[in-house]
Amino acid sequence: MAGTKNQLFMGNFIHSKTREELEYLINTAVCVDAKGVIVAVERGCDRETAERTLYPRLGWKAGEVDVNVCGDGDFFFPGFIDTHLHASQYPNVGIFGKSTLLDWLNTYTFPLEAKLGDEKLARRVYTAVVRKTLSHGTTTACYYATRHVGSTNVLADLCLELGQRALVGRVCMDEASMCPDFYRDESPEWALEATKACIAHIKGIDPDYARVKPVITPRFAPSCTSQVMRLMGALQKEMDLPVQTHISENTSEIALVKSLFPESKHYTDVYDTHGLLTEKTILAHGVHLSEEEATLISERKAKVSHCPSSNSSITSGAARVRWLWDKGIEVGLGTDMSGGYSPSVLENARQANLVSRHVAMGIPDGEEKERTKLTVDEVLYLATRGGANVVGMEDKIGAFEVGKEFDAIQVGLGAIDEEGILRGEGNVDIFGWENWEEKVAKWLFNGDDRNCKKVWVKGVLVHERK
Amino acid sequence: MAGTKNQLFMGNFIHSKTREELEYLINTAVCVDAKGVIVAVERGCDRETAERTLYPRLGWKAGEVDVNVCGDGDFFFPGFIDTHLHASQYPNVGIFGKSTLLDWLNTYTFPLEAKLGDEKLARRVYTAVVRKTLSHGTTTACYYATRHVGSTNVLADLCLELGQRALVGRVCMDEASMCPDFYRDESPEWALEATKACIAHIKGIDPDYARVKPVITPRFAPSCTSQVMRLMGALQKEMDLPVQTHISENTSEIALVKSLFPESKHYTDVYDTHGLLTEKTILAHGVHLSEEEATLISERKAKVSHCPSSNSSITSGAARVRWLWDKGIEVGLGTDMSGGYSPSVLENARQANLVSRHVAMGIPDGEEKERTKLTVDEVLYLATRGGANVVGMEDKIGAFEVGKEFDAIQVGLGAIDEEGILRGEGNVDIFGWENWEEKVAKWLFNGDDRNCKKVWVKGVLVHERK
């Protein structure tokens, strides 16, 4: 799947200039070549000017260019990056009762994941999840599948087929005391071979990992033997692939890790001593990390996926994003379905804003309390550029810049007419006097998939609202 | 606006049996008379049985009855009750930056409310807000309008015209040190006359307050002089009307009240000593109440409107619903637009669930921590029966029971077909193996206005999704 023609995108573009600040490129022209790469970004440029000044520079001819113009009230935004979600758990979203992590795994999660060994069922569930997340503007997703090779490969196939950029991981889990008999890797060696089989499959369907990439996925320390973690660490070194796992989500889990790995200094040390704490490692959660652990993560340049909806809904805790940033750690957002209830990165940006306020509530009045709160601009950075850093694609995605690939959402907002009637759909109601900053705030707080009118990955249209 | 025919509703009905437990009335018939009153609720009853056994008992003839059947996967749910929102602030939803209550009022709120003195603009904004909240299933709304008589009356007219059950309050605010010159009642006496004018208007358009009712609305203690609160207290006593105000939302506000009313024991005492703490009083927020204040509120039988979205988004704090319940206080939900960002009571039920988990995070492991978490059933109680208690309509609305009026939502969920394609719309994806409890949990966590297929107030269809 690749763009076949050069494309001109015209209209308003909004993206993160820095972590603190969105940039508003109003009436701008963005040229995207047939490979999906942005080759020009020109402000204050109408179509005629684009054709007169940009096309010759690019060697383009007007008749051969596809033109996409967004309306005055619409804007293009970089596609969202979901840095942590379990595709296999999608059917369980919203279902967790009063459970917390460890009982939630046994009650809801393992039984469902085990069923997805059935590839027909896996295809059904994964089709739903890829389509659903695309419809919410997720152009890149970092997936946990299940421990099954066949079903994991189905997920990779579907991402390629439906056009989503993805990291796809077979879940590695072989620790008998933690994984149920019906859902456990047979041995560390079996786990290694199974993981290699998934990597080979993805290499087969997308040799340059241009769209789909494997990710080494030891579920989390309690599910894994020391042997398997060592094998995965060695595999990472050998193949230079990304790694994803969970860390420090819940206090009971931390106590469990302490009891399972008594020789380790702390949870982070478990991964570090098994060769799993690398520059390419994505650590989901990181809610209860100690100063020492955060310093080590920062030194290793490992990344954190912040999953606010999940952390609130299964009462894990409130992660301190500002504190992680202060430590020099890169952070992105994860929906963490189905610990998280929502397929939407936008919902998680909203929740990141709210959770940071809950963190602030615990801090005495003053400057520290104020700066703990994440702004609208900052949570949208987390959803895009922050996520790009986390998945190691900061050179490719996350903003509208020459040299990056065009992963984008066309956002449309509703308008309230003079009679008070909504024109358009969704819950972002624009009265007409709002400035761009206010429109974006309204979108953050009330936006949903209805505001994602079109979605592109690498310049290819992969979703359009009917 | 009134139902003109008897109606039979057939299908699945779900409502709160108790605070702790939803009741699932599957394949049930509910008969609603021409006045909108439920006259029969019969379980396991198909249409033929209804016609054979219920109609004769009710004196109905089959040909004269309108029949509404919901599909197998759909269900009827009691209409939502929004116990606190500012209709006038709707255009500002989602806009609050990093502000907290007192600077938020001056920066965003007062300037917008002042503009709504223009009745044409008020009609536009209020049309949008009534239609929007109806589309989210809010069948009863307890509104703050603005301090303007004419615009407040426009809101009351619109509720009647569009069919929403509502309490409508002209905002009373005369304290010069707190209210800006451009937006302040001229004097306590003027405030009293203005409030009476709105009451008279509503009496004129809906003499029995069958659908729209006035509510005495001293904004909150800091905005009001002692004189005006005393006059409002006396008015309440004279006319036996409901009262709404704010209490203990934010720590700076509490300190301000202490400085403005040095002779009062605490914030609650301010209202109590001015005759405003009554059985018909709705207190929004109550985040930081002391034990002594909660005891006094409980003794006076005043009610609390819990506004979780608002409390999180403007960093007010995390209200302790379980603790309020333990004190014997009735609690409902408020969207509190635009301190709250969402027009949806369902979103606020979801946030009530999440906020209770943030409260629990601050409690040591054990039974107390566990019971602090509100369940799915409990937050849906807050949204319906709890709200009915708060607005003093527990005999009329909040459940499907003989004698109550039929305020209801027909909820429809999406279905994932065998190919993984969504049939229907929205974000509640049913795979087919879920039980009713799981379906309701999914709806709570991912539902939106798309799942509100039809909405009735007093048996009259007031919203239908196209």
Side-chain angles (χ1 to χ4, degrees):
Chain A
M1 186 186 261
T4 48
K5 284 179 93 171
N6 295 319
Q7 293 179 89
L8 171 67
F9 292 86
M10 305 268 325
N12 311 309
F13 294 76
I14 303 176
H15 67 170
S16 295
K17 187 175 178 182
T18 64
R19 201 171 76 189
E20 290 76 25
E21 205 186 341
L22 289 174
E23 182 172 46
Y24 297 83
L25 304 166
I26 305 307
N27 296 321
T28 290
V30 170
C31 297
V32 176
D33 73 13
K35 290 178 184 156
V37 176
I38 297 170
V39 288
V41 177
E42 196 76 15
R43 286 178 183 232
C45 179
D46 61 18
R47 186 167 172 173
E48 195 211 352
T49 312
E51 292 182 353
R52 204 181 60 235
T53 65
L54 299 180
Y55 286 18
R57 205 172 82 198
L58 300 167
W60 288 11
K61 283 180 192 135
E64 298 166 14
V65 177
D66 274 347
V67 181
N68 302 273
V69 182
C70 84
D72 279 350
D74 288 10
F75 59 93
F76 295 103
F77 200 80
F80 291 133
I81 298 161
D82 189 343
T83 61
H84 181 68
L85 78 164
H86 298 258
S88 50
Q89 296 171 19
Y90 181 60
N92 271 352
V93 285
I95 301 174
F96 31 72
K98 290 176 102 171
S99 67
T100 52
L101 180 62
L102 301 177
D103 55 322
W104 170 80
L105 281 173
N106 287 307
T107 311
Y108 299 106
T109 307
F110 291 149
L112 174 61
E113 288 193 20
K115 276 193 222 160
L116 290 224
D118 172 353
E119 289 173 32
K120 186 160 174 287
L121 181 60
R123 179 169 293 276
R124 180 179 177 217
V125 168
Y126 294 157
T127 299
V129 76
V130 174
R131 290 172 59 103
K132 178 62 72 171
T133 53
L134 279 175
S135 76
H136 283 269
T138 301
T139 50
T140 301
C142 190
Y143 286 118
Y144 271 59
T146 63
R147 65 167 216 85
H148 314 98
V149 173
S151 299
T152 300
N153 293 344
V154 166
L155 176 58
D157 292 345
L158 281 166
C159 292
L160 202 63
E161 183 185 323
L162 298 171
Q164 192 171 48
R165 198 186 290 273
L167 292 87
V168 175
R170 189 200 75 86
V171 183
C172 175
M173 44 190 292
D174 70 330
E175 169 55 44
S177 70
M178 279 297 298
C179 308
D181 290 344
F182 62 84
Y183 191 56
R184 186 171 68 229
D185 285 349
E186 289 163 32
S187 67
E189 295 72 26
W190 187 96
L192 178 64
E193 290 313 310
T195 298
K196 282 184 172 173
C198 289
I199 295 169
H201 177 81
I202 295 173
K203 190 88 189 160
I205 59 171
D206 192 3
D208 301 323
Y209 300 151
R211 203 173 273 263
V212 183
K213 194 173 188 167
V215 50
I216 296 168
T217 308
R219 186 174 198 112
F220 71 147
S223 296
C224 296
T225 59
S226 198
Q227 298 93 297
V228 95
M229 284 195 281
R230 208 161 291 127
L231 290 173
M232 292 297 144
L235 186 67
Q236 192 284 324
K237 207 168 174 187
E238 180 195 332
M239 309 196 81
D240 196 28
L241 284 172
V243 174
Q244 62 181 349
T245 190
H246 300 85
I247 199 166
S248 200
E249 179 173 358
N250 160 299
T251 52
S252 304
E253 168 214 17
I254 295 166
L256 179 64
V257 171
K258 204 177 168 70
S259 75
L260 291 170
F261 301 90
E263 71 291 354
S264 290
K265 272 187 282 184
H266 41 61
Y267 200 157
T268 305
D269 186 53
V270 175
Y271 294 134
D272 194 43
T273 51
H274 288 87
L276 289 166
L277 197 69
T278 77
E279 203 172 337
K280 295 197 170 179
T281 300
I282 302 164
L283 300 163
H285 306 295
V287 175
H288 305 280
L289 293 169
S290 67
E291 292 276 337
E292 195 183 330
E293 288 179 283
T295 302
L296 180 58
I297 290 169
S298 178
E299 281 171 11
R300 295 289 184 267
K301 297 195 171 75
K303 322 295 196 246
V304 169
S305 172
H306 174 44
C307 306
S309 294
S310 169
N311 295 161
S312 295
S313 59
I314 58 174
T315 327
S316 299
R320 296 151 295 162
V321 173
R322 181 74 60 197
W323 176 79
L324 291 168
W325 276 345
D326 287 347
K327 293 282 171 192
I329 298 170
E330 291 290 350
V331 186
L333 291 178
T335 60
D336 190 29
M337 294 197 286
S338 70
Y341 51 83
S342 170
S344 161
V345 174
L346 190 68
E347 164 77 13
N348 277 275
R350 183 155 61 229
Q351 293 301 319
N353 177 291
L354 298 179
V355 164
S356 76
R357 279 153 178 70
H358 280 277
V359 176
M361 287 171 203
I363 297 174
D365 287 352
E367 201 185 326
E368 189 55 30
K369 185 191 189 101
E370 289 311 307
R371 69 184 290 278
T372 295
K373 300 183 205 171
L374 300 179
T375 65
V376 168
D377 290 25
E378 286 172 332
V379 299
L380 290 171
Y381 171 90
L382 286 174
T384 54
R385 275 190 120 113
N389 287 320
V390 168
V391 297
M393 298 188 189
E394 61 279 8
D395 56 332
K396 270 191 169 179
I397 53 174
F400 301 114
E401 288 169 352
V402 171
K404 286 200 160 64
E405 299 182 2
F406 190 76
D407 285 18
I409 307 164
Q410 182 178 331
V411 179
L413 309 175
I416 298 295
D417 74 10
E418 287 306 306
E419 269 63 56
I421 313 292
L422 175 68
R423 304 299 167 193
E425 58 167 358
N427 284 314
V428 186
D429 293 354
I430 301 299
F431 283 77
W433 54 68
E434 297 87 347
N435 61 32
W436 277 107
E437 287 78 1
E438 291 170 337
K439 285 184 198 176
V440 168
K442 285 190 158 192
W443 173 54
L444 172 65
F445 280 98
N446 279 311
D448 61 33
D449 51 308
R450 284 172 283 189
N451 304 107
C452 283
K453 291 167 80 167
K454 295 182 180 180
V455 181
W456 292 265
V457 174
K458 278 170 82 69
V460 178
L461 187 70
V462 292
H463 171 76
E464 181 168 11
R465 257 195 89 71
K466 278 159 211 134
Chain B
M1 187 185 261
T4 48
K5 284 179 92 170
N6 294 319
Q7 294 178 90
L8 172 67
F9 292 86
M10 306 268 325
N12 310 309
F13 295 77
I14 304 175
H15 67 171
S16 295
K17 188 175 179 181
T18 64
R19 201 171 75 189
E20 289 76 26
E21 206 187 340
L22 289 174
E23 183 172 46
Y24 298 82
L25 305 165
I26 306 306
N27 296 323
T28 290
V30 169
C31 297
V32 175
D33 72 14
K35 288 177 186 157
V37 177
I38 297 170
V39 290
V41 177
E42 197 75 14
R43 284 177 185 235
C45 179
D46 62 16
R47 185 167 173 172
E48 195 211 354
T49 312
E51 292 181 353
R52 203 181 61 237
T53 65
L54 299 180
Y55 286 17
R57 204 172 83 199
L58 299 167
W60 289 10
K61 282 178 193 138
E64 298 166 12
V65 177
D66 275 346
V67 181
N68 303 273
V69 183
C70 85
D72 278 351
D74 288 9
F75 59 92
F76 295 102
F77 200 80
F80 290 132
I81 298 161
D82 189 343
T83 61
H84 181 68
L85 77 163
H86 298 258
S88 49
Q89 295 170 19
Y90 181 60
N92 272 352
V93 284
I95 301 174
F96 31 73
K98 291 177 101 171
S99 66
T100 53
L101 180 62
L102 301 177
D103 55 322
W104 170 80
L105 280 174
N106 286 308
T107 310
Y108 299 107
T109 307
F110 291 150
L112 173 62
E113 289 193 19
K115 277 192 222 161
L116 289 225
D118 172 353
E119 287 174 32
K120 185 159 176 288
L121 180 60
R123 179 169 292 277
R124 181 179 177 217
V125 169
Y126 294 158
T127 299
V129 76
V130 174
R131 289 171 59 105
K132 177 64 71 171
T133 53
L134 280 174
S135 75
H136 283 270
T138 300
T139 50
T140 300
C142 191
Y143 286 118
Y144 270 60
T146 62
R147 64 167 215 85
H148 314 99
V149 173
S151 300
T152 301
N153 293 344
V154 166
L155 176 58
D157 292 346
L158 281 167
C159 291
L160 202 62
E161 184 185 323
L162 298 171
Q164 190 171 49
R165 198 185 289 273
L167 292 88
V168 175
R170 189 199 75 86
V171 183
C172 177
M173 46 191 289
D174 69 330
E175 169 54 45
S177 71
M178 280 298 299
C179 308
D181 290 343
F182 62 83
Y183 190 55
R184 185 172 66 230
D185 285 350
E186 290 162 34
S187 69
E189 296 72 26
W190 188 96
L192 178 65
E193 289 315 309
T195 299
K196 282 185 173 173
C198 289
I199 296 169
H201 177 82
I202 295 173
K203 190 88 189 160
I205 58 172
D206 192 2
D208 301 324
Y209 300 150
R211 202 173 274 261
V212 183
K213 194 171 186 168
V215 49
I216 295 168
T217 308
R219 184 171 201 115
F220 72 146
S223 296
C224 296
T225 59
S226 197
Q227 296 94 297
V228 95
M229 284 197 281
R230 208 160 291 127
L231 289 172
M232 292 297 144
L235 186 66
Q236 192 285 323
K237 205 168 176 186
E238 181 195 330
M239 308 195 82
D240 195 29
L241 284 172
V243 174
Q244 63 181 348
T245 190
H246 301 85
I247 199 165
S248 201
E249 179 173 358
N250 159 299
T251 51
S252 304
E253 169 215 15
I254 295 166
L256 179 64
V257 170
K258 203 175 168 70
S259 75
L260 291 169
F261 300 90
E263 71 291 354
S264 290
K265 272 187 281 183
H266 41 60
Y267 201 157
T268 306
D269 186 53
V270 174
Y271 294 133
D272 194 43
T273 51
H274 289 87
L276 289 166
L277 197 69
T278 76
E279 202 171 339
K280 297 197 169 179
T281 300
I282 302 164
L283 300 164
H285 305 296
V287 175
H288 304 281
L289 294 169
S290 67
E291 293 277 337
E292 196 183 330
E293 288 180 282
T295 302
L296 180 59
I297 290 169
S298 179
E299 281 171 10
R300 296 288 183 268
K301 298 193 170 78
K303 320 297 196 248
V304 169
S305 172
H306 174 42
C307 306
S309 294
S310 168
N311 296 161
S312 296
S313 59
I314 56 173
T315 328
S316 300
R320 297 150 295 162
V321 172
R322 181 75 61 198
W323 176 79
L324 291 168
W325 277 344
D326 287 346
K327 293 281 170 192
I329 298 170
E330 291 289 351
V331 185
L333 291 177
T335 60
D336 190 29
M337 294 197 286
S338 69
Y341 52 83
S342 170
S344 161
V345 174
L346 189 68
E347 163 77 12
N348 276 275
R350 181 154 63 229
Q351 292 301 319
N353 178 290
L354 298 179
V355 164
S356 75
R357 279 154 178 71
H358 280 277
V359 176
M361 287 171 203
I363 297 174
D365 287 352
E367 201 185 326
E368 188 55 29
K369 185 192 189 100
E370 288 311 307
R371 68 184 291 277
T372 294
K373 298 183 206 173
L374 302 179
T375 65
V376 168
D377 290 26
E378 286 172 332
V379 298
L380 291 171
Y381 171 90
L382 285 173
T384 54
R385 273 189 122 112
N389 287 320
V390 168
V391 298
M393 299 188 187
E394 61 278 8
D395 56 330
K396 271 191 168 179
I397 54 175
F400 300 114
E401 289 170 352
V402 170
K404 286 200 160 63
E405 301 181 2
F406 190 77
D407 285 17
I409 306 164
Q410 182 179 332
V411 179
L413 310 176
I416 298 294
D417 74 10
E418 286 307 307
E419 269 63 55
I421 313 291
L422 175 68
R423 304 298 166 194
E425 58 168 357
N427 285 314
V428 187
D429 293 355
I430 300 300
F431 283 76
W433 54 68
E434 298 87 347
N435 62 32
W436 277 108
E437 286 79 1
E438 291 170 337
K439 285 184 198 176
V440 168
K442 284 190 158 193
W443 172 55
L444 172 65
F445 280 98
N446 279 310
D448 61 34
D449 50 308
R450 284 171 284 189
N451 304 107
C452 284
K453 291 167 80 166
K454 293 182 182 181
V455 180
W456 292 265
V457 174
K458 280 171 81 73
V460 178
L461 187 69
V462 291
H463 171 76
E464 181 167 13
R465 255 192 92 71
K466 277 161 215 130

